[in-house]
Amino acid sequence: MTQLDLRDIQTLADLQAALGHFTSGAQEGLRVAETEIRQAQEWLQERIDHWQRELEQARREVAQAEAELRRCQASGYRDDRGRYHQPDCSAYVRALARAEAHLRECQGYLETAQEWRSRVDQAANEYQREARRLSEVAGGHTEKARAFLGRAAEKYEEVRT
């Protein structure tokens, strides 16, 4: 181990202060990151909830469009000669197609939001593991180092006087 030649004890105090700044900066950074992660997760959950509601509404619209198409198709009639006259239900067919397309769109958006929520949750878990380690370093280890530097400064001061 190398001997340390300290001619200026202020260096120890400066190092001790720098460790304090590191600790508070690291902890503040971790708090900000945690807040950002939580806000992202909440926003994604809001999107999931929104698209689940939209999906339910789209399912109701498809059911209604199917019922209207069936009613139209059942409205055909036979004339006096017994010939069947099929109604023009093309507008109902188009309405059903639009409702089904909207349903697929809602399903796609919901799946995308759920996928991103899963990815963010996974990344957040990985981040939190690393953040805990940094927090331990920033909290416990730097405090021990600061205490050590404080004791060392006191001893060097005793020696100098």
PDB file of all heavy atoms in Angstrom, residues 8-45:
ATOM      1  N   ASP A   8      -1.502  19.313   2.918  1.00  0.00           N
ATOM      2  CA  ASP A   8      -2.638  20.209   3.147  1.00  0.00           C
ATOM      3  C   ASP A   8      -3.834  19.359   3.559  1.00  0.00           C
ATOM      4  O   ASP A   8      -4.398  18.624   2.743  1.00  0.00           O
ATOM      5  CB  ASP A   8      -2.945  20.983   1.864  1.00  0.00           C
ATOM      6  CG  ASP A   8      -4.052  22.003   2.053  1.00  0.00           C
ATOM      7  OD1 ASP A   8      -4.495  22.198   3.200  1.00  0.00           O
ATOM      8  OD2 ASP A   8      -4.479  22.598   1.048  1.00  0.00           O
ATOM      9  N   ILE A   9      -4.202  19.438   4.791  1.00  0.00           N
ATOM     10  CA  ILE A   9      -5.314  18.640   5.307  1.00  0.00           C
ATOM     11  C   ILE A   9      -6.628  19.066   4.665  1.00  0.00           C
ATOM     12  O   ILE A   9      -7.585  18.299   4.626  1.00  0.00           O
ATOM     13  CB  ILE A   9      -5.374  18.739   6.850  1.00  0.00           C
ATOM     14  CG1 ILE A   9      -4.114  18.097   7.415  1.00  0.00           C
ATOM     15  CG2 ILE A   9      -6.617  18.074   7.401  1.00  0.00           C
ATOM     16  CD1 ILE A   9      -4.025  18.116   8.897  1.00  0.00           C
ATOM     17  N   GLN A  10      -6.669  20.230   4.088  1.00  0.00           N
ATOM     18  CA  GLN A  10      -7.885  20.709   3.411  1.00  0.00           C
ATOM     19  C   GLN A  10      -8.283  19.756   2.281  1.00  0.00           C
ATOM     20  O   GLN A  10      -9.450  19.621   1.965  1.00  0.00           O
ATOM     21  CB  GLN A  10      -7.662  22.126   2.857  1.00  0.00           C
ATOM     22  CG  GLN A  10      -8.891  22.727   2.211  1.00  0.00           C
ATOM     23  CD  GLN A  10     -10.071  22.832   3.177  1.00  0.00           C
ATOM     24  OE1 GLN A  10      -9.896  23.148   4.365  1.00  0.00           O
ATOM     25  NE2 GLN A  10     -11.265  22.542   2.688  1.00  0.00           N
ATOM     26  N   THR A  11      -7.315  19.046   1.719  1.00  0.00           N
ATOM     27  CA  THR A  11      -7.601  18.074   0.661  1.00  0.00           C
ATOM     28  C   THR A  11      -8.562  17.008   1.162  1.00  0.00           C
ATOM     29  O   THR A  11      -9.478  16.602   0.442  1.00  0.00           O
ATOM     30  CB  THR A  11      -6.300  17.426   0.160  1.00  0.00           C
ATOM     31  OG1 THR A  11      -5.417  18.461  -0.263  1.00  0.00           O
ATOM     32  CG2 THR A  11      -6.560  16.476  -0.984  1.00  0.00           C
ATOM     33  N   LEU A  12      -8.361  16.568   2.391  1.00  0.00           N
ATOM     34  CA  LEU A  12      -9.276  15.573   2.967  1.00  0.00           C
ATOM     35  C   LEU A  12     -10.675  16.156   3.127  1.00  0.00           C
ATOM     36  O   LEU A  12     -11.670  15.487   2.819  1.00  0.00           O
ATOM     37  CB  LEU A  12      -8.756  15.089   4.331  1.00  0.00           C
ATOM     38  CG  LEU A  12      -7.526  14.206   4.312  1.00  0.00           C
ATOM     39  CD1 LEU A  12      -7.068  13.906   5.736  1.00  0.00           C
ATOM     40  CD2 LEU A  12      -7.804  12.924   3.561  1.00  0.00           C
ATOM     41  N   ALA A  13     -10.763  17.388   3.574  1.00  0.00           N
ATOM     42  CA  ALA A  13     -12.074  18.030   3.738  1.00  0.00           C
ATOM     43  C   ALA A  13     -12.747  18.222   2.385  1.00  0.00           C
ATOM     44  O   ALA A  13     -13.963  18.025   2.248  1.00  0.00           O
ATOM     45  CB  ALA A  13     -11.913  19.373   4.453  1.00  0.00           C
ATOM     46  N   ASP A  14     -11.950  18.585   1.361  1.00  0.00           N
ATOM     47  CA  ASP A  14     -12.507  18.763   0.016  1.00  0.00           C
ATOM     48  C   ASP A  14     -13.033  17.434  -0.531  1.00  0.00           C
ATOM     49  O   ASP A  14     -14.106  17.376  -1.141  1.00  0.00           O
ATOM     50  CB  ASP A  14     -11.459  19.336  -0.935  1.00  0.00           C
ATOM     51  CG  ASP A  14     -11.070  20.766  -0.598  1.00  0.00           C
ATOM     52  OD1 ASP A  14     -11.807  21.416   0.186  1.00  0.00           O
ATOM     53  OD2 ASP A  14     -10.023  21.229  -1.121  1.00  0.00           O
ATOM     54  N   LEU A  15     -12.263  16.390  -0.318  1.00  0.00           N
ATOM     55  CA  LEU A  15     -12.695  15.059  -0.769  1.00  0.00           C
ATOM     56  C   LEU A  15     -13.954  14.625  -0.028  1.00  0.00           C
ATOM     57  O   LEU A  15     -14.885  14.086  -0.623  1.00  0.00           O
ATOM     58  CB  LEU A  15     -11.570  14.046  -0.569  1.00  0.00           C
ATOM     59  CG  LEU A  15     -11.838  12.625  -1.058  1.00  0.00           C
ATOM     60  CD1 LEU A  15     -12.251  12.608  -2.526  1.00  0.00           C
ATOM     61  CD2 LEU A  15     -10.610  11.756  -0.833  1.00  0.00           C
ATOM     62  N   GLN A  16     -13.981  14.917   1.250  1.00  0.00           N
ATOM     63  CA  GLN A  16     -15.165  14.583   2.058  1.00  0.00           C
ATOM     64  C   GLN A  16     -16.392  15.342   1.531  1.00  0.00           C
ATOM     65  O   GLN A  16     -17.469  14.764   1.378  1.00  0.00           O
ATOM     66  CB  GLN A  16     -14.885  14.939   3.513  1.00  0.00           C
ATOM     67  CG  GLN A  16     -15.869  14.369   4.499  1.00  0.00           C
ATOM     68  CD  GLN A  16     -15.460  14.693   5.932  1.00  0.00           C
ATOM     69  OE1 GLN A  16     -14.702  15.632   6.196  1.00  0.00           O
ATOM     70  NE2 GLN A  16     -15.978  13.908   6.863  1.00  0.00           N
ATOM     71  N   ALA A  17     -16.253  16.601   1.205  1.00  0.00           N
ATOM     72  CA  ALA A  17     -17.354  17.402   0.663  1.00  0.00           C
ATOM     73  C   ALA A  17     -17.771  16.888  -0.711  1.00  0.00           C
ATOM     74  O   ALA A  17     -18.972  16.813  -1.027  1.00  0.00           O
ATOM     75  CB  ALA A  17     -16.952  18.871   0.576  1.00  0.00           C
ATOM     76  N   ALA A  18     -16.789  16.507  -1.538  1.00  0.00           N
ATOM     77  CA  ALA A  18     -17.099  15.984  -2.876  1.00  0.00           C
ATOM     78  C   ALA A  18     -17.908  14.694  -2.778  1.00  0.00           C
ATOM     79  O   ALA A  18     -18.844  14.468  -3.555  1.00  0.00           O
ATOM     80  CB  ALA A  18     -15.810  15.758  -3.662  1.00  0.00           C
ATOM     81  N   LEU A  19     -17.553  13.857  -1.815  1.00  0.00           N
ATOM     82  CA  LEU A  19     -18.335  12.630  -1.608  1.00  0.00           C
ATOM     83  C   LEU A  19     -19.764  12.956  -1.194  1.00  0.00           C
ATOM     84  O   LEU A  19     -20.714  12.292  -1.613  1.00  0.00           O
ATOM     85  CB  LEU A  19     -17.668  11.737  -0.558  1.00  0.00           C
ATOM     86  CG  LEU A  19     -16.440  10.962  -1.032  1.00  0.00           C
ATOM     87  CD1 LEU A  19     -15.745  10.286   0.152  1.00  0.00           C
ATOM     88  CD2 LEU A  19     -16.823   9.939  -2.082  1.00  0.00           C
ATOM     89  N   GLY A  20     -19.924  13.990  -0.376  1.00  0.00           N
ATOM     90  CA  GLY A  20     -21.269  14.414   0.026  1.00  0.00           C
ATOM     91  C   GLY A  20     -22.074  14.901  -1.170  1.00  0.00           C
ATOM     92  O   GLY A  20     -23.257  14.570  -1.315  1.00  0.00           O
ATOM     93  N   HIS A  21     -21.427  15.683  -2.045  1.00  0.00           N
ATOM     94  CA  HIS A  21     -22.113  16.161  -3.257  1.00  0.00           C
ATOM     95  C   HIS A  21     -22.485  14.996  -4.171  1.00  0.00           C
ATOM     96  O   HIS A  21     -23.559  14.965  -4.760  1.00  0.00           O
ATOM     97  CB  HIS A  21     -21.252  17.171  -4.009  1.00  0.00           C
ATOM     98  CG  HIS A  21     -21.101  18.477  -3.301  1.00  0.00           C
ATOM     99  ND1 HIS A  21     -22.164  19.297  -2.982  1.00  0.00           N
ATOM    100  CD2 HIS A  21     -19.991  19.124  -2.846  1.00  0.00           C
ATOM    101  CE1 HIS A  21     -21.728  20.370  -2.364  1.00  0.00           C
ATOM    102  NE2 HIS A  21     -20.405  20.292  -2.257  1.00  0.00           N
ATOM    103  N   PHE A  22     -21.550  14.032  -4.286  1.00  0.00           N
ATOM    104  CA  PHE A  22     -21.837  12.847  -5.096  1.00  0.00           C
ATOM    105  C   PHE A  22     -23.050  12.113  -4.553  1.00  0.00           C
ATOM    106  O   PHE A  22     -23.954  11.736  -5.303  1.00  0.00           O
ATOM    107  CB  PHE A  22     -20.624  11.914  -5.130  1.00  0.00           C
ATOM    108  CG  PHE A  22     -20.951  10.559  -5.682  1.00  0.00           C
ATOM    109  CD1 PHE A  22     -21.113  10.379  -7.045  1.00  0.00           C
ATOM    110  CD2 PHE A  22     -21.117   9.465  -4.836  1.00  0.00           C
ATOM    111  CE1 PHE A  22     -21.438   9.122  -7.558  1.00  0.00           C
ATOM    112  CE2 PHE A  22     -21.434   8.214  -5.337  1.00  0.00           C
ATOM    113  CZ  PHE A  22     -21.599   8.046  -6.702  1.00  0.00           C
ATOM    114  N   THR A  23     -23.082  11.917  -3.247  1.00  0.00           N
ATOM    115  CA  THR A  23     -24.188  11.191  -2.621  1.00  0.00           C
ATOM    116  C   THR A  23     -25.517  11.883  -2.885  1.00  0.00           C
ATOM    117  O   THR A  23     -26.475  11.247  -3.336  1.00  0.00           O
ATOM    118  CB  THR A  23     -23.969  11.072  -1.096  1.00  0.00           C
ATOM    119  OG1 THR A  23     -22.760  10.339  -0.874  1.00  0.00           O
ATOM    120  CG2 THR A  23     -25.119  10.361  -0.427  1.00  0.00           C
ATOM    121  N   SER A  24     -25.575  13.189  -2.627  1.00  0.00           N
ATOM    122  CA  SER A  24     -26.856  13.889  -2.811  1.00  0.00           C
ATOM    123  C   SER A  24     -27.235  13.942  -4.288  1.00  0.00           C
ATOM    124  O   SER A  24     -28.409  13.783  -4.642  1.00  0.00           O
ATOM    125  CB  SER A  24     -26.807  15.294  -2.206  1.00  0.00           C
ATOM    126  OG  SER A  24     -25.837  16.084  -2.852  1.00  0.00           O
ATOM    127  N   GLY A  25     -26.255  14.133  -5.174  1.00  0.00           N
ATOM    128  CA  GLY A  25     -26.557  14.155  -6.607  1.00  0.00           C
ATOM    129  C   GLY A  25     -27.054  12.816  -7.121  1.00  0.00           C
ATOM    130  O   GLY A  25     -28.000  12.736  -7.900  1.00  0.00           O
ATOM    131  N   ALA A  26     -26.390  11.749  -6.668  1.00  0.00           N
ATOM    132  CA  ALA A  26     -26.803  10.403  -7.090  1.00  0.00           C
ATOM    133  C   ALA A  26     -28.199  10.088  -6.585  1.00  0.00           C
ATOM    134  O   ALA A  26     -29.046   9.565  -7.327  1.00  0.00           O
ATOM    135  CB  ALA A  26     -25.805   9.366  -6.593  1.00  0.00           C
ATOM    136  N   GLN A  27     -28.472  10.405  -5.334  1.00  0.00           N
ATOM    137  CA  GLN A  27     -29.801  10.125  -4.782  1.00  0.00           C
ATOM    138  C   GLN A  27     -30.878  10.946  -5.475  1.00  0.00           C
ATOM    139  O   GLN A  27     -31.968  10.442  -5.751  1.00  0.00           O
ATOM    140  CB  GLN A  27     -29.801  10.361  -3.270  1.00  0.00           C
ATOM    141  CG  GLN A  27     -29.006   9.305  -2.533  1.00  0.00           C
ATOM    142  CD  GLN A  27     -28.822   9.602  -1.062  1.00  0.00           C
ATOM    143  OE1 GLN A  27     -28.985  10.725  -0.604  1.00  0.00           O
ATOM    144  NE2 GLN A  27     -28.450   8.572  -0.308  1.00  0.00           N
ATOM    145  N   GLU A  28     -30.592  12.200  -5.796  1.00  0.00           N
ATOM    146  CA  GLU A  28     -31.563  13.026  -6.516  1.00  0.00           C
ATOM    147  C   GLU A  28     -31.799  12.474  -7.921  1.00  0.00           C
ATOM    148  O   GLU A  28     -32.933  12.394  -8.385  1.00  0.00           O
ATOM    149  CB  GLU A  28     -31.085  14.480  -6.591  1.00  0.00           C
ATOM    150  CG  GLU A  28     -31.999  15.394  -7.372  1.00  0.00           C
ATOM    151  CD  GLU A  28     -33.410  15.505  -6.780  1.00  0.00           C
ATOM    152  OE1 GLU A  28     -33.602  15.213  -5.586  1.00  0.00           O
ATOM    153  OE2 GLU A  28     -34.326  15.877  -7.542  1.00  0.00           O
ATOM    154  N   GLY A  29     -30.736  12.055  -8.578  1.00  0.00           N
ATOM    155  CA  GLY A  29     -30.875  11.449  -9.900  1.00  0.00           C
ATOM    156  C   GLY A  29     -31.724  10.195  -9.863  1.00  0.00           C
ATOM    157  O   GLY A  29     -32.564   9.968 -10.743  1.00  0.00           O
ATOM    158  N   LEU A  30     -31.518   9.382  -8.850  1.00  0.00           N
ATOM    159  CA  LEU A  30     -32.317   8.161  -8.704  1.00  0.00           C
ATOM    160  C   LEU A  30     -33.791   8.496  -8.461  1.00  0.00           C
ATOM    161  O   LEU A  30     -34.678   7.835  -9.007  1.00  0.00           O
ATOM    162  CB  LEU A  30     -31.771   7.306  -7.555  1.00  0.00           C
ATOM    163  CG  LEU A  30     -30.410   6.659  -7.804  1.00  0.00           C
ATOM    164  CD1 LEU A  30     -29.876   6.034  -6.523  1.00  0.00           C
ATOM    165  CD2 LEU A  30     -30.497   5.634  -8.917  1.00  0.00           C
ATOM    166  N   ARG A  31     -34.050   9.523  -7.654  1.00  0.00           N
ATOM    167  CA  ARG A  31     -35.449   9.925  -7.402  1.00  0.00           C
ATOM    168  C   ARG A  31     -36.116  10.422  -8.687  1.00  0.00           C
ATOM    169  O   ARG A  31     -37.265  10.067  -8.976  1.00  0.00           O
ATOM    170  CB  ARG A  31     -35.505  11.005  -6.326  1.00  0.00           C
ATOM    171  CG  ARG A  31     -35.438  10.486  -4.917  1.00  0.00           C
ATOM    172  CD  ARG A  31     -35.770  11.567  -3.884  1.00  0.00           C
ATOM    173  NE  ARG A  31     -34.799  12.651  -3.878  1.00  0.00           N
ATOM    174  CZ  ARG A  31     -33.640  12.624  -3.214  1.00  0.00           C
ATOM    175  NH1 ARG A  31     -33.327  11.577  -2.493  1.00  0.00           N
ATOM    176  NH2 ARG A  31     -32.820  13.648  -3.250  1.00  0.00           N
ATOM    177  N   VAL A  32     -35.388  11.230  -9.454  1.00  0.00           N
ATOM    178  CA  VAL A  32     -35.943  11.758 -10.708  1.00  0.00           C
ATOM    179  C   VAL A  32     -36.225  10.613 -11.681  1.00  0.00           C
ATOM    180  O   VAL A  32     -37.291  10.556 -12.304  1.00  0.00           O
ATOM    181  CB  VAL A  32     -34.989  12.799 -11.332  1.00  0.00           C
ATOM    182  CG1 VAL A  32     -35.382  13.128 -12.756  1.00  0.00           C
ATOM    183  CG2 VAL A  32     -34.954  14.064 -10.482  1.00  0.00           C
ATOM    184  N   ALA A  33     -35.286   9.695 -11.806  1.00  0.00           N
ATOM    185  CA  ALA A  33     -35.471   8.559 -12.714  1.00  0.00           C
ATOM    186  C   ALA A  33     -36.661   7.709 -12.286  1.00  0.00           C
ATOM    187  O   ALA A  33     -37.472   7.286 -13.120  1.00  0.00           O
ATOM    188  CB  ALA A  33     -34.203   7.712 -12.766  1.00  0.00           C
ATOM    189  N   GLU A  34     -36.800   7.480 -10.987  1.00  0.00           N
ATOM    190  CA  GLU A  34     -37.924   6.687 -10.473  1.00  0.00           C
ATOM    191  C   GLU A  34     -39.249   7.367 -10.785  1.00  0.00           C
ATOM    192  O   GLU A  34     -40.221   6.710 -11.177  1.00  0.00           O
ATOM    193  CB  GLU A  34     -37.766   6.475  -8.967  1.00  0.00           C
ATOM    194  CG  GLU A  34     -38.767   5.537  -8.363  1.00  0.00           C
ATOM    195  CD  GLU A  34     -38.655   4.115  -8.871  1.00  0.00           C
ATOM    196  OE1 GLU A  34     -37.535   3.654  -9.138  1.00  0.00           O
ATOM    197  OE2 GLU A  34     -39.701   3.460  -9.003  1.00  0.00           O
ATOM    198  N   THR A  35     -39.286   8.673 -10.645  1.00  0.00           N
ATOM    199  CA  THR A  35     -40.505   9.432 -10.965  1.00  0.00           C
ATOM    200  C   THR A  35     -40.844   9.311 -12.447  1.00  0.00           C
ATOM    201  O   THR A  35     -42.002   9.085 -12.816  1.00  0.00           O
ATOM    202  CB  THR A  35     -40.331  10.916 -10.568  1.00  0.00           C
ATOM    203  OG1 THR A  35     -40.115  10.983  -9.160  1.00  0.00           O
ATOM    204  CG2 THR A  35     -41.554  11.736 -10.936  1.00  0.00           C
ATOM    205  N   GLU A  36     -39.849   9.448 -13.293  1.00  0.00           N
ATOM    206  CA  GLU A  36     -40.065   9.336 -14.742  1.00  0.00           C
ATOM    207  C   GLU A  36     -40.562   7.941 -15.120  1.00  0.00           C
ATOM    208  O   GLU A  36     -41.464   7.802 -15.947  1.00  0.00           O
ATOM    209  CB  GLU A  36     -38.774   9.659 -15.501  1.00  0.00           C
ATOM    210  CG  GLU A  36     -38.345  11.099 -15.418  1.00  0.00           C
ATOM    211  CD  GLU A  36     -39.290  12.042 -16.157  1.00  0.00           C
ATOM    212  OE1 GLU A  36     -39.827  11.652 -17.203  1.00  0.00           O
ATOM    213  OE2 GLU A  36     -39.475  13.166 -15.675  1.00  0.00           O
ATOM    214  N   ILE A  37     -39.981   6.935 -14.522  1.00  0.00           N
ATOM    215  CA  ILE A  37     -40.406   5.557 -14.807  1.00  0.00           C
ATOM    216  C   ILE A  37     -41.855   5.364 -14.378  1.00  0.00           C
ATOM    217  O   ILE A  37     -42.671   4.815 -15.128  1.00  0.00           O
ATOM    218  CB  ILE A  37     -39.481   4.545 -14.094  1.00  0.00           C
ATOM    219  CG1 ILE A  37     -38.110   4.539 -14.754  1.00  0.00           C
ATOM    220  CG2 ILE A  37     -40.104   3.151 -14.079  1.00  0.00           C
ATOM    221  CD1 ILE A  37     -37.051   3.787 -13.969  1.00  0.00           C
ATOM    222  N   ARG A  38     -42.182   5.825 -13.179  1.00  0.00           N
ATOM    223  CA  ARG A  38     -43.546   5.674 -12.677  1.00  0.00           C
ATOM    224  C   ARG A  38     -44.542   6.411 -13.578  1.00  0.00           C
ATOM    225  O   ARG A  38     -45.615   5.895 -13.889  1.00  0.00           O
ATOM    226  CB  ARG A  38     -43.631   6.167 -11.227  1.00  0.00           C
ATOM    227  CG  ARG A  38     -44.930   5.816 -10.540  1.00  0.00           C
ATOM    228  CD  ARG A  38     -44.959   6.158  -9.052  1.00  0.00           C
ATOM    229  NE  ARG A  38     -44.312   7.400  -8.666  1.00  0.00           N
ATOM    230  CZ  ARG A  38     -43.101   7.500  -8.123  1.00  0.00           C
ATOM    231  NH1 ARG A  38     -42.372   6.430  -7.909  1.00  0.00           N
ATOM    232  NH2 ARG A  38     -42.603   8.681  -7.800  1.00  0.00           N
ATOM    233  N   GLN A  39     -44.185   7.608 -14.029  1.00  0.00           N
ATOM    234  CA  GLN A  39     -45.077   8.362 -14.912  1.00  0.00           C
ATOM    235  C   GLN A  39     -45.274   7.643 -16.242  1.00  0.00           C
ATOM    236  O   GLN A  39     -46.383   7.602 -16.769  1.00  0.00           O
ATOM    237  CB  GLN A  39     -44.531   9.777 -15.141  1.00  0.00           C
ATOM    238  CG  GLN A  39     -44.660  10.668 -13.938  1.00  0.00           C
ATOM    239  CD  GLN A  39     -43.979  12.017 -14.131  1.00  0.00           C
ATOM    240  OE1 GLN A  39     -43.167  12.209 -15.027  1.00  0.00           O
ATOM    241  NE2 GLN A  39     -44.310  12.960 -13.254  1.00  0.00           N
ATOM    242  N   ALA A  40     -44.215   7.057 -16.773  1.00  0.00           N
ATOM    243  CA  ALA A  40     -44.328   6.304 -18.029  1.00  0.00           C
ATOM    244  C   ALA A  40     -45.235   5.087 -17.844  1.00  0.00           C
ATOM    245  O   ALA A  40     -46.093   4.803 -18.692  1.00  0.00           O
ATOM    246  CB  ALA A  40     -42.952   5.869 -18.518  1.00  0.00           C
ATOM    247  N   GLN A  41     -45.073   4.394 -16.729  1.00  0.00           N
ATOM    248  CA  GLN A  41     -45.914   3.226 -16.468  1.00  0.00           C
ATOM    249  C   GLN A  41     -47.380   3.629 -16.296  1.00  0.00           C
ATOM    250  O   GLN A  41     -48.280   2.949 -16.802  1.00  0.00           O
ATOM    251  CB  GLN A  41     -45.411   2.486 -15.224  1.00  0.00           C
ATOM    252  CG  GLN A  41     -44.109   1.770 -15.448  1.00  0.00           C
ATOM    253  CD  GLN A  41     -43.506   1.219 -14.173  1.00  0.00           C
ATOM    254  OE1 GLN A  41     -43.539   1.863 -13.126  1.00  0.00           O
ATOM    255  NE2 GLN A  41     -42.938   0.023 -14.249  1.00  0.00           N
ATOM    256  N   GLU A  42     -47.611   4.723 -15.597  1.00  0.00           N
ATOM    257  CA  GLU A  42     -48.985   5.194 -15.405  1.00  0.00           C
ATOM    258  C   GLU A  42     -49.602   5.606 -16.731  1.00  0.00           C
ATOM    259  O   GLU A  42     -50.768   5.302 -17.001  1.00  0.00           O
ATOM    260  CB  GLU A  42     -49.015   6.370 -14.418  1.00  0.00           C
ATOM    261  CG  GLU A  42     -48.746   5.950 -12.992  1.00  0.00           C
ATOM    262  CD  GLU A  42     -48.530   7.130 -12.046  1.00  0.00           C
ATOM    263  OE1 GLU A  42     -48.600   8.302 -12.508  1.00  0.00           O
ATOM    264  OE2 GLU A  42     -48.299   6.876 -10.854  1.00  0.00           O
ATOM    265  N   TRP A  43     -48.840   6.306 -17.569  1.00  0.00           N
ATOM    266  CA  TRP A  43     -49.353   6.727 -18.876  1.00  0.00           C
ATOM    267  C   TRP A  43     -49.694   5.512 -19.726  1.00  0.00           C
ATOM    268  O   TRP A  43     -50.756   5.471 -20.371  1.00  0.00           O
ATOM    269  CB  TRP A  43     -48.333   7.613 -19.594  1.00  0.00           C
ATOM    270  CG  TRP A  43     -48.828   8.098 -20.915  1.00  0.00           C
ATOM    271  CD1 TRP A  43     -49.667   9.147 -21.147  1.00  0.00           C
ATOM    272  CD2 TRP A  43     -48.550   7.516 -22.197  1.00  0.00           C
ATOM    273  NE1 TRP A  43     -49.919   9.269 -22.496  1.00  0.00           N
ATOM    274  CE2 TRP A  43     -49.239   8.273 -23.159  1.00  0.00           C
ATOM    275  CE3 TRP A  43     -47.778   6.437 -22.610  1.00  0.00           C
ATOM    276  CZ2 TRP A  43     -49.179   7.988 -24.519  1.00  0.00           C
ATOM    277  CZ3 TRP A  43     -47.726   6.153 -23.973  1.00  0.00           C
ATOM    278  CH2 TRP A  43     -48.421   6.928 -24.897  1.00  0.00           C
ATOM    279  N   LEU A  44     -48.808   4.519 -19.742  1.00  0.00           N
ATOM    280  CA  LEU A  44     -49.093   3.303 -20.514  1.00  0.00           C
ATOM    281  C   LEU A  44     -50.324   2.585 -19.979  1.00  0.00           C
ATOM    282  O   LEU A  44     -51.131   2.070 -20.758  1.00  0.00           O
ATOM    283  CB  LEU A  44     -47.878   2.375 -20.515  1.00  0.00           C
ATOM    284  CG  LEU A  44     -46.748   2.825 -21.427  1.00  0.00           C
ATOM    285  CD1 LEU A  44     -45.482   2.033 -21.144  1.00  0.00           C
ATOM    286  CD2 LEU A  44     -47.152   2.672 -22.890  1.00  0.00           C
ATOM    287  N   GLN A  45     -50.501   2.556 -18.659  1.00  0.00           N
ATOM    288  CA  GLN A  45     -51.694   1.929 -18.099  1.00  0.00           C
ATOM    289  C   GLN A  45     -52.947   2.694 -18.503  1.00  0.00           C
ATOM    290  O   GLN A  45     -53.985   2.090 -18.799  1.00  0.00           O
ATOM    291  CB  GLN A  45     -51.595   1.816 -16.573  1.00  0.00           C
ATOM    292  CG  GLN A  45     -52.713   1.004 -15.960  1.00  0.00           C
ATOM    293  CD  GLN A  45     -52.767  -0.417 -16.517  1.00  0.00           C
ATOM    294  OE1 GLN A  45     -51.765  -1.124 -16.538  1.00  0.00           O
ATOM    295  NE2 GLN A  45     -53.940  -0.855 -16.966  1.00  0.00           N
TER     296      GLN A  45
END
